[in-house]
Amino acid sequence: MSTAAVGRTPRTLWRGVSRVVWVLVAARAVNRIGAFTLPFLGVVLTVEFGASLSQTGLILALFGAATIPSRLLGGHLADRLGRRRTIVLGLTGCAVAQTWIALSSGLWSAIVATVLLGLVFEIYEPPSQATIADVTDPIDRPAAYGLLSAAMAAAGVLAGLLAAALSHWDLRWLFVADAITCAACAILVARALPADVRRDREQPTRTQVWRDRRLLLLLAGGTVFATIYMQLVIGIPLTLVEQGLPESGAGFILAVSAVTMIVAQRFLRLRHLDDFSALTIGYVVVGAGLLVSAFAHTLAVFLAAAVLWSLGELFLLTRYLTLASSLAPDHARGRYLAVFGLSWGFATAIAPLTVTRLLESFGAAGLWLSTAAVAGLLAAAQPWFRRRLAPA
């Protein structure tokens, strides 16, 4: 039973959003201020620790593979241990791993720390997403997830500028800053979110969750989208380096991306679109941004591309979460969202390999043109997904 009617914030742009969601969004925004390290992780491995481009791809793939059990553990603990405890555990682990990377003296130490970061990186995601669904009525979930996206984007403005500033000193300071914000976020969640409710142990097993064919189909589609997203996160900084543009440019691109999502969140009336229409539009716009990236040779053009693909992401991110939460029964929501969230683990393992291989073989134009083609195929496939994901 939804508890969305409890503790709603009056006179807000996001009607029907619980105060619990606002607390969680505030905590995640604090974390987001420092969460600019992933786009720079590949650069740090090559510049600070002397890894080759192919070695960097393999290390980042190990990181991505490690996030897969991390996400499943987060979903299991969210349903059994509780949402708040699981979020705090995951954020604390991230703070430890980020500190280890910053203090590493050699490549092997950085590799171990990177794998550890992957193992804890996704623990807090399923309980965070499940908490929003727990306290929000289904009709209000796109708005609630949109609030989360807007807050993360707002924090991302500061994150991008901070990344641009710190990257002029020492890239390791990025990981120090992220560790501090992870710890701050964990403290805020521990103090402000409601206490966990002990849940009934007689719940569906993981095997039963994996038997939901609609969930698996949504996972497949989400994995392709997440791979496109992660290719942008990892590939844009490497593309800038390959073309001789300043490393700090990635920070400015992050800031422009965040501003785009904030402005679009305010003016686009996404709730008037059904989920699959929104996904179609999102893929078309992301594909347009990828096409611009394929022919970009200056920072200004990359910034223009970022406006396009960030606008598309606004359509895509919230609607995928809304679809995933709508498939889940209340007592297994954490595990359902964890299984769907594996799309990000798969993508984080796949994207470093595809980005580095395509960059080496075909250059930036080949990387972004092929990715744009995939986005176009996903846009065309949405009517098929609509039929397959319709309620039985």
Side-chain angles (χ1 to χ4, degrees):
M1 177 167 44
S2 174
T3 57
V6 179
R8 288 184 175 179
T9 303
R11 294 183 181 179
T12 177
L13 219 70
W14 287 270
R15 295 177 301 172
V17 175
S18 166
R19 287 192 179 93
V20 172
V21 176
W22 285 91
V23 169
L24 181 60
V25 165
R28 292 299 307 278
V30 170
N31 179 229
R32 179 68 180 90
I33 291 174
F36 42 65
T37 54
L38 187 56
F40 289 91
L41 183 54
V43 178
V44 168
L45 290 169
T46 55
V47 174
E48 298 289 330
F49 296 106
S52 67
L53 191 59
S54 59
Q55 287 175 328
T56 295
L58 289 173
I59 296 167
L60 293 179
L62 285 175
F63 167 83
T67 65
I68 295 173
S70 172
R71 174 80 66 158
L72 290 174
L73 177 62
H76 178 79
L77 293 177
D79 287 340
R80 297 302 176 92
L81 182 64
R83 316 297 200 213
R84 186 176 70 176
R85 294 188 189 97
T86 305
I87 294 171
V88 171
L89 175 65
L91 289 168
T92 302
C94 285
V96 171
Q98 298 275 18
T99 302
W100 187 345
I101 292 175
L103 297 178
S104 292
S105 58
L107 180 58
W108 279 107
S109 177
I111 291 173
V112 174
T114 299
V115 173
L116 174 63
L117 180 62
L119 290 172
V120 298
F121 193 74
E122 299 285 354
I123 287 178
Y124 63 79
E125 284 290 356
S128 297
Q129 296 165 0
T131 297
I132 291 175
D134 288 343
V135 299
T136 309
D137 289 326
I139 195 173
D140 293 319
R141 283 175 192 163
Y145 288 123
L147 171 61
L148 179 62
S149 297
M152 299 286 272
V157 175
L158 180 57
L161 297 175
L162 187 57
L166 291 178
S167 62
H168 286 294
W169 296 348
D170 188 329
L171 292 176
R172 299 192 194 204
W173 281 108
L174 300 174
F175 294 88
V176 174
D178 201 0
I180 292 172
T181 57
C182 283
C185 184
I187 292 170
L188 180 57
V189 168
R191 295 176 66 95
L193 280 191
D196 292 315
V197 177
R198 188 174 298 276
R199 297 180 180 273
D200 185 2
R201 291 183 177 272
E202 294 182 2
Q203 298 173 355
T205 65
R206 189 192 313 174
T207 301
Q208 291 173 307
V209 171
W210 279 96
R211 288 177 180 171
D212 191 325
R213 294 182 179 180
R214 291 185 300 156
L215 175 61
L216 298 181
L217 179 60
L218 190 64
L219 170 61
T223 297
V224 181
F225 159 66
T227 301
I228 293 174
Y229 184 99
M230 291 307 302
Q231 287 193 166
L232 283 164
V233 170
I234 296 169
I236 289 296
L238 291 175
T239 299
L240 296 181
V241 172
E242 286 289 298
Q243 296 192 358
L245 295 173
E247 298 169 3
S248 59
F252 291 112
I253 289 173
L254 289 175
V256 168
S257 175
V259 170
T260 300
M261 294 189 72
I262 295 168
V263 173
Q265 184 74 230
R266 177 64 181 85
F267 291 104
L268 288 180
R269 304 177 70 84
L270 297 181
R271 67 184 59 188
H272 296 305
L273 292 171
D274 67 84
D275 292 330
F276 296 98
S277 296
L279 291 174
T280 301
I281 294 172
Y283 282 123
V284 169
V285 178
V286 166
L290 292 167
L291 286 174
V292 174
S293 298
F295 300 101
H297 297 286
T298 67
L299 182 58
V301 179
F302 277 110
L303 293 174
V307 171
L308 287 172
W309 46 256
S310 299
L311 182 61
E313 288 167 3
L314 178 62
F315 286 91
L316 297 167
L317 291 171
T318 59
R319 296 305 177 131
Y320 266 115
L321 286 173
T322 300
L323 282 169
S325 64
S326 69
L327 294 178
D330 291 347
H331 55 263
R333 186 168 285 133
R335 281 166 288 166
Y336 263 70
L337 287 167
V339 170
F340 172 72
L342 290 178
S343 58
W344 294 97
F346 296 149
T348 308
I350 295 168
L353 300 177
T354 57
V355 166
T356 53
R357 295 290 175 83
L358 288 171
L359 274 177
E360 287 180 332
S361 301
F362 305 105
L367 167 62
W368 302 121
L369 284 174
S370 60
T371 308
V374 173
L377 290 174
L378 277 173
Q382 289 312 303
W384 182 84
F385 277 101
R386 183 196 298 272
R387 293 191 297 271
R388 296 289 181 173
L389 293 174

